[in-house]
């Protein structure tokens, strides 16, 4: 079970100088209110708000938002009322808790694509603080991680709702790390046979893929260093649901997936991104039509990066993503990466306000 002190230390590390007494108060309040309650797994209910708060802390959300992670179910699942929350934690925390509670009570029953899109638009339109959505996504992520303890009918309903509503919503807000995990977890329950079959095929290739990644990482690191470029490199195997989508959409076999293996290069500056791209294209032959400049032309959710695919000396194609450290954080965390906490007040920076407004406009 995750410890409150671990959450406290994470928030303290990301928000030095902030008053964190709010967090301790929220933890004690949640523990008292949820006392005696258990989850379907048999664990104390308090495990859930702690896990949600931990996800928010890792996203570097402000102390008020992490406190809401600890409190997000007290209005719905305990005898606590709004007056008590406002009295103990103030109007800001109450406002977010009420928003999360309101979202949880909206019924969603249709998997029809247009209805799902309308529902996502409704969620974006009804909140005036994006932290409400971020807390709800963290809540849904932990629920999906523990979905195996629920009856089959509920597993199917929650997984479908997650795939249709919450994963795309995370994508719209640029929160790819949460979106990706929600998709993979949903796929596991919605199409268990397809999931198991594909996982087996991926596992059969995993060892050779990891060996290949390590080899190209060493080669690229050496060439970048020779060019005077400071860089950190990370390899990955494509996510199982993303592979599933590509196989189905393009009607291809697994060995035809260009980005089954990918390399990520993180450098200090934008000029370094383009310099690294030049090093790669001098090293290996690029695949025609696979170069994408999302730095010059960012995606609507704020994602920026250079993408290319190259052919290795052995004839294996693989994808490379090149970005700065700031771009990488935005790619992983999306709108949460822009949330600032300064001078005792939390709030979005200008980019966050612009992106949040754009999301709502896109939802109309």
């Amino acid at each position: 079970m995750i410890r409150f002190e671990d959450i406290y230390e994470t928030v303290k590390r990301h928000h030095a100088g902030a008053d964190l007494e709010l967090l301790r108060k929220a933890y004690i309040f949640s523990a008292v209110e949820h006392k005696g309650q258990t989850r379907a797994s048999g664990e104390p209910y308090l495990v859930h708000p702690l896990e949600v708060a931990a996800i928010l802390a890792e996203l570097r959300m402000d102390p008020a938002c992490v406190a809401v992670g600890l409190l997000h179910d007290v209005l719905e699942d305990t005898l606590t009322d709004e007056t008590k929350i406002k009295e103990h934690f103030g109007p800001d925390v109450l406002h977010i808790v009420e928003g999360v509670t309101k979202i949880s009570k909206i019924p969603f029953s249709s998997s029809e694509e247009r209805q799902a899109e309308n529902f996502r638009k409704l969620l974006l339109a009804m909140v005036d603080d994006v932290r409400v959505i971020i807390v709800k996504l963290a809540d849904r992520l932990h629920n999906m991680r523990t979905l195996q303890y629920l009856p089959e009918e509920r597993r199917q309903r929650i997984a479908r709702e997650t795939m249709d509503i919450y994963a795309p919503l995370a994508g719209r807000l640029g929160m790819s790390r949460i979106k990706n995990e929600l998709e993979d977890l949903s796929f596991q329950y919605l199409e268990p046979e397809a999931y198991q079959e594909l996982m087996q095929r991926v596992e059969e290739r995993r060892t050779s893929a990891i060996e290949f990644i390590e080899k190209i990482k060493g080669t690229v690191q050496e060439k970048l260093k020779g060019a005077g470029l400071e860089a950190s490199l990370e390899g990955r195997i494509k996510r199982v649901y993303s592979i599933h989508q590509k196989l189905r959409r393009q009607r291809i076999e697994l060995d035809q997936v260009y980005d089954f293996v990918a390399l990520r290069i993180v450098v200090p500056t934008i000029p370094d991104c383009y310099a690294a791209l030049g090093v790669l294209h001098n090293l290996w032959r690029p695949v025609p039509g696979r170069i994408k400049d999302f730095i010059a032309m960012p995606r609507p959710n704020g994602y920026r990066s250079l993408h290319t695919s190259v052919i290795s000396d052995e004839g294996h194609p693989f994808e490379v993503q090149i970005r700065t450290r700031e771009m990488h954080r935005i790619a992983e965390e999306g709108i949460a990466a822009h949330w600032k906490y300064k001078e005792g007040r939390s709030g979005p920076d200008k980019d966050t306000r612009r992106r949040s407004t754009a999301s709502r406009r896109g939802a109309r």
Side-chain angles (χ1 to χ4, degrees):
M1 176 171 147
I2 192 162
R3 297 167 57 247
F4 168 74
E5 294 302 327
D6 296 332
I7 298 168
Y8 185 93
E9 288 302 318
T10 301
V11 178
K12 183 179 177 182
R13 187 169 66 250
H14 296 319
H15 299 282
D19 180 7
L20 303 185
E21 188 56 32
L22 180 74
L23 286 182
R24 201 171 295 281
K25 282 174 58 182
Y27 169 61
I28 295 169
F29 189 92
S30 182
V32 170
E33 293 300 322
H34 288 298
K35 186 177 180 180
Q37 296 179 342
T38 56
R39 304 195 81 218
S41 63
E43 293 177 307
Y45 195 88
L46 184 62
V47 169
H48 174 62
L50 279 168
E51 291 285 355
V52 172
I55 292 169
L56 295 167
E58 287 299 328
L59 287 171
R60 309 187 196 196
M61 296 306 295
D62 62 283
C65 187
V66 179
V68 172
L70 292 164
L71 300 168
H72 72 278
D73 277 336
V74 294
L75 279 183
E76 192 171 9
D77 295 335
T78 76
L79 298 177
T80 297
D81 60 20
E82 292 86 347
T83 303
K84 197 171 180 182
I85 294 176
K86 185 176 181 180
E87 178 185 324
H88 283 78
F89 303 102
D92 189 35
V93 168
L94 172 62
H95 182 68
I96 306 171
V97 172
E98 285 181 321
V100 176
T101 304
K102 191 188 303 182
I103 287 176
S104 301
K105 290 180 177 178
I106 302 174
F108 173 74
S109 57
S110 172
S111 62
E112 198 269 318
E113 187 174 342
R114 184 176 298 175
Q115 289 301 316
E117 174 62 14
N118 286 341
F119 193 85
R120 293 195 296 269
K121 290 176 181 177
L122 174 64
L123 292 188
L124 284 171
M126 68 184 289
V127 300
D128 58 3
D129 189 328
V130 75
R131 289 176 295 177
V132 171
I133 298 291
I134 294 173
V135 173
K136 184 60 189 175
L137 289 171
D139 170 49
R140 180 52 58 106
L141 180 57
H142 182 246
N143 281 334
M144 287 299 298
R145 287 174 177 172
T146 55
L147 201 62
Q148 70 269 28
Y149 297 107
L150 297 183
E152 172 65 15
E153 183 276 330
R154 286 191 67 195
R155 288 202 300 262
Q156 287 292 313
R157 179 179 61 78
I158 293 170
R160 172 51 59 196
E161 183 181 78
T162 300
M163 186 70 89
D164 291 346
I165 301 298
Y166 292 104
L169 193 57
R172 174 170 281 177
L173 296 178
M175 302 173 72
S176 65
R177 189 165 57 190
I178 287 181
K179 168 185 173 287
N180 294 344
E181 189 175 350
L182 289 176
E183 286 180 339
D184 282 352
L185 288 167
S186 299
F187 178 40
Q188 179 181 346
Y189 291 102
L190 293 172
E191 300 184 59
E193 291 181 6
Y195 174 83
Q196 290 297 336
E197 180 191 355
L198 187 53
M199 278 297 293
Q200 183 177 342
R201 293 168 66 193
V202 169
E203 287 304 315
E204 288 169 357
R205 297 184 58 178
R206 184 175 296 278
T207 301
S208 60
I210 290 173
E211 289 174 356
F212 176 71
I213 287 169
E214 290 307 310
K215 181 180 178 181
I216 59 174
K217 275 174 64 178
T219 303
V220 172
Q221 189 80 68
E222 182 182 337
K223 293 294 183 181
L224 292 174
K225 187 176 180 181
L229 293 170
E230 174 196 339
S232 61
L233 276 65
E234 179 185 343
R236 67 107 177 104
I237 295 172
K238 194 172 181 69
R239 294 181 305 107
V240 64
Y241 181 66
S242 188
I243 294 172
H244 173 71
Q245 282 183 303
K246 182 160 280 193
L247 297 182
R248 179 174 287 182
R249 186 173 60 246
Q250 298 183 6
R251 299 181 182 276
I252 57 176
E253 293 300 317
L254 188 57
D255 57 8
Q256 295 174 286
V257 176
Y258 269 112
D259 56 348
F260 179 78
V261 166
L263 184 68
R264 181 177 298 130
I265 301 173
V266 179
V267 293
T269 69
I270 290 176
D272 289 345
C273 291
Y274 292 99
L277 182 66
V279 169
L280 278 168
H281 287 175
N282 282 328
L283 184 58
W284 291 302
R285 178 168 56 88
V287 178
R290 295 283 301 176
I291 303 170
K292 298 173 184 174
D293 189 346
F294 295 116
I295 294 178
M297 297 285 288
R299 287 175 175 164
N301 63 12
Y303 176 86
R304 301 175 76 200
S305 196
L306 293 177
H307 288 199
T308 186
S309 292
V310 295
I311 308 292
S312 72
D313 296 334
E314 297 86 356
H316 300 308
F318 64 96
E319 184 181 78
V320 183
Q321 302 165 355
I322 309 169
R323 57 182 69 146
T324 65
R325 296 184 188 98
E326 179 64 13
M327 290 176 197
H328 179 58
R329 189 174 167 221
I330 293 169
E332 294 287 298
E333 301 172 10
I335 203 165
H338 295 277
W339 201 266
K340 305 297 182 185
Y341 185 88
K342 293 180 180 178
E343 298 171 3
R345 297 189 307 115
S346 61
D349 61 14
K350 291 179 182 177
D351 284 344
T352 307
R353 288 193 293 270
R354 177 169 47 78
R355 232 178 304 281
S356 184
T357 303
S359 293
R360 290 194 183 93
R361 284 175 181 161
R364 286 172 188 161

